[in-house]
Amino acid sequence: MTSSLIRSRPRRAKAHIRVRVVCAVLGALVGAEWLVLPVMTAGDRDPVPASADGPVAAAVAQDQDGASATDLLMPLVAVGAAGALAGYGYLRRTRRARTRTTPGVVSAAAPAPTSPENERQARAALVLADDCVRGSREELCFVEELSGAGAVGPFVHALRAAETELSAAFAIWRRYEEGVPGDEGARRQALVGVVGRCAEAGRRLDAEAPELDRVRGLEQGVGEALEVAEGRFRELTARTSAAQATAADLHQRYAPSAGAPVTGYVEQAKDRLVFATSQLNESRQAADSGEERLAARQLRAAEGGVAQAGVLVGGVERLAAELREAAGLVPAALTGGEAEIAEARKAGGRTSLATGELHARLAHADGVLAAVRAELTGGPYDPLDALRRIARAVDRLETGRSGVMEAAAQLVARSAVAGAEDFIAVHRGAVGAEARARLAEADRALGAGRHAEADTRAGESRDLAERDVRARGNPYPDGHVLGLTGAVLGGILLAEDPDAGPPTSYGGPQTRGRRHLP
């Protein structure tokens, strides 16, 4: 199944419709001519000469009667065929309009029911394709560090193509969730399109996986790749200690809500590093004993642990930088908000808002700015949340954002999207399709400059992802090797076997967990 199942309409569609219309008109004209000709040749002024009575004359008369009947029947058939052709064209255009899955107006009518099994398959396909893309991205960064950017060009290209297919699949799914299309058949086709796009994303990665194995050459020896992983491990160990101090500083400097997005990240990073330590040791031991395939498997698991530890530590570092930037921007945002409020009052009746609604929004904006000023002087506060409230209150005035307000909204949205991305990346073994779809929508909105929408969707994505992780719980409540629970929740190990199964690798569904097996 390929990605061509759900595509935008070809540009030649309108030309095909015009051709059908022309054919129908010509058919109707020909039929009309055939209807008129018998009438024009009938009557007293018949151009056909009379014949004498006799056998020959009788035969001729009989032939003329048959021809006359044919002259009447054939035009009727032609007109009927033309009408059928025109009707077919109309029905086809109507069907295409109903089944279109490209963005349009959200229907207010309740969507038609579809099979729960079809929905389940679409969700599973989205999760699998997203996991393949994320796992491929993790391994590729190690390959690039060792072999250089030039050596990984084809693999990067395949990864970007898979990301494009996956983004399209998420877009179709979100439209489906919103009730578009509404027709039952079209909704089934939309789910088929989701599965088809996901399959194409996996196919792109599967096609390049064998060549990536050849470039890495892990089964011939893991020596150099092991050194790269160990070097990054040592770097992250030092960064984790610094991140622990940074996280403690966030709790002292700001309100509790400011550091909440990265609560527990340092501990989880340490857990991933513990897992990576054991895998690196086992990989080196296997390599020393000549078990290269086992060494490659353990190395790939260690790389996954190191990569996710980097995400967790980087999340703490990123949030600290964003809070510092936000704290420096809050005073300017307050000044800009006051200017926007004054402009809205000055515009008065020239805005699209009713007078009463405008006054209510102005009062709300005044209250938000006053509350933020009180927080600035009252003790620790959350700079990002302050910017979010200012930007949203001013945006509701519909006066158009100034430069500082746009910068504030962009910073808030960028932080929310990055936070949701980090959380899903290190918990992908437990996160479902809904949270991932919201994140994809938030990322599209951020790229399009719709910052308020991106912030909202990212918040929804984070909430849904946290719900999924809580529902999953601890996959090994009876105790296992240190770090194993985090490796399974993080999707580093595929959890296909009682021992948590093979590590994920670059590739699609057919190759991501079927390589480097002893």
Side-chain angles (χ1 to χ4, degrees), residues 18-273:
R18 287 196 293 268
V19 169
R20 295 192 191 102
V21 172
V22 169
C23 290
V25 172
L26 289 176
L29 290 176
V30 171
E33 182 179 359
W34 283 346
L35 284 172
V36 171
L37 283 176
V39 177
M40 294 177 62
T41 58
D44 296 335
R45 304 175 66 178
D46 193 340
V48 180
S51 300
D53 294 338
V56 176
V60 172
Q62 184 176 4
D63 290 342
Q64 288 176 345
D65 291 341
S68 176
T70 302
D71 288 342
L72 292 176
L73 179 60
M74 290 300 295
L76 292 176
V77 173
V79 172
L85 181 60
Y88 170 76
Y90 172 78
L91 291 175
R92 186 175 177 84
R93 292 194 301 275
T94 304
R95 178 181 175 87
R96 285 184 174 180
R98 287 199 308 264
T99 59
R100 183 169 299 171
T101 57
T102 49
V105 179
V106 176
S107 173
T114 53
S115 169
E117 179 62 19
N118 292 341
E119 291 187 359
R120 187 198 64 78
Q121 291 176 357
R123 288 191 182 94
L126 287 169
V127 171
L128 178 59
D130 194 45
D131 283 349
C132 291
V133 166
R134 292 177 182 277
S136 298
R137 193 183 296 136
E138 284 179 358
E139 182 174 10
L140 199 57
C141 69
F142 287 92
V143 181
E144 183 175 359
E145 184 172 343
L146 178 61
S147 303
V152 300
F155 314 120
V156 172
H157 178 74
L159 179 59
R160 296 292 177 265
E163 290 172 344
T164 299
E165 295 289 344
L166 181 59
S167 177
F170 274 126
I172 298 172
W173 173 256
R174 282 296 294 136
R175 297 285 295 164
Y176 177 87
E177 286 186 315
E178 293 170 350
V180 177
D183 178 76
E184 181 178 358
R187 287 177 67 76
R188 285 197 299 268
Q189 185 67 13
L191 294 179
V192 170
V194 170
V195 175
R197 292 278 192 173
C198 292
E200 178 65 11
R203 187 196 67 78
R204 296 274 189 154
L205 297 172
D206 280 331
E208 297 296 334
E211 181 62 18
L212 183 73
D213 284 347
R214 190 194 66 77
V215 171
R216 296 206 75 179
L218 294 181
E219 294 182 5
Q220 286 72 48
V222 298
E224 293 183 350
L226 191 59
E227 290 178 1
V228 169
E230 289 175 338
R232 189 175 292 188
F233 172 86
R234 289 189 293 269
E235 174 196 353
L236 273 171
T237 300
R239 286 175 58 194
T240 301
S241 300
Q244 187 169 14
T246 300
D249 182 64
L250 293 181
H251 290 293
Q252 294 177 358
R253 185 184 298 270
Y254 305 108
S257 62
V262 297
T263 298
Y265 273 26
V266 174
E267 289 72 20
Q268 292 182 52
K270 291 179 179 179
D271 182 75
R272 299 295 197 280
L273 290 176

Side-chain angles (χ1 to χ4, degrees), residues 245-419:
T246 300
D249 182 64
L250 293 181
H251 290 293
Q252 294 177 358
R253 185 184 298 270
Y254 305 108
S257 62
V262 297
T263 298
Y265 273 26
V266 174
E267 289 72 20
Q268 292 182 52
K270 291 179 179 179
D271 182 75
R272 299 295 197 280
L273 290 176
V274 167
F275 173 77
T277 299
S278 66
Q279 301 302 305
L280 288 171
N281 291 336
E282 292 178 13
S283 178
R284 186 165 291 281
Q285 292 170 5
D288 292 341
S289 61
E291 298 178 85
E292 297 299 343
R293 293 174 67 85
L294 177 60
R297 169 175 172 154
Q298 303 305 97
L299 172 62
R300 182 62 200 102
E303 289 175 341
V306 170
Q308 292 200 3
V311 172
L312 291 160
V313 171
V316 175
E317 296 168 342
R318 173 190 51 77
L319 181 61
E322 290 168 346
L323 287 169
R324 288 193 299 269
E325 184 179 356
L329 193 57
V330 166
L334 286 171
T335 302
E338 291 172 348
E340 295 289 340
I341 291 173
E343 179 65 23
R345 284 199 174 95
K346 183 179 179 181
R350 295 193 300 274
T351 67
S352 60
L353 299 173
T355 302
E357 179 66 18
L358 176 60
H359 288 166
R361 295 188 182 188
L362 286 170
H364 173 72
D366 283 332
V368 169
L369 267 60
V372 171
R373 288 193 193 92
E375 292 173 4
L376 287 176
T377 59
Y381 75 108
D382 184 345
L384 281 170
D385 182 64
L387 285 182
R388 176 179 290 110
R389 286 181 288 150
I390 294 172
R392 289 183 177 180
V394 172
D395 185 58
R396 296 180 69 240
L397 301 178
E398 299 183 2
T399 59
R401 285 175 177 161
S402 63
V404 65
M405 298 308 302
E406 185 68 17
Q410 183 180 20
L411 174 58
V412 169
R414 190 176 71 238
S415 177
V417 172

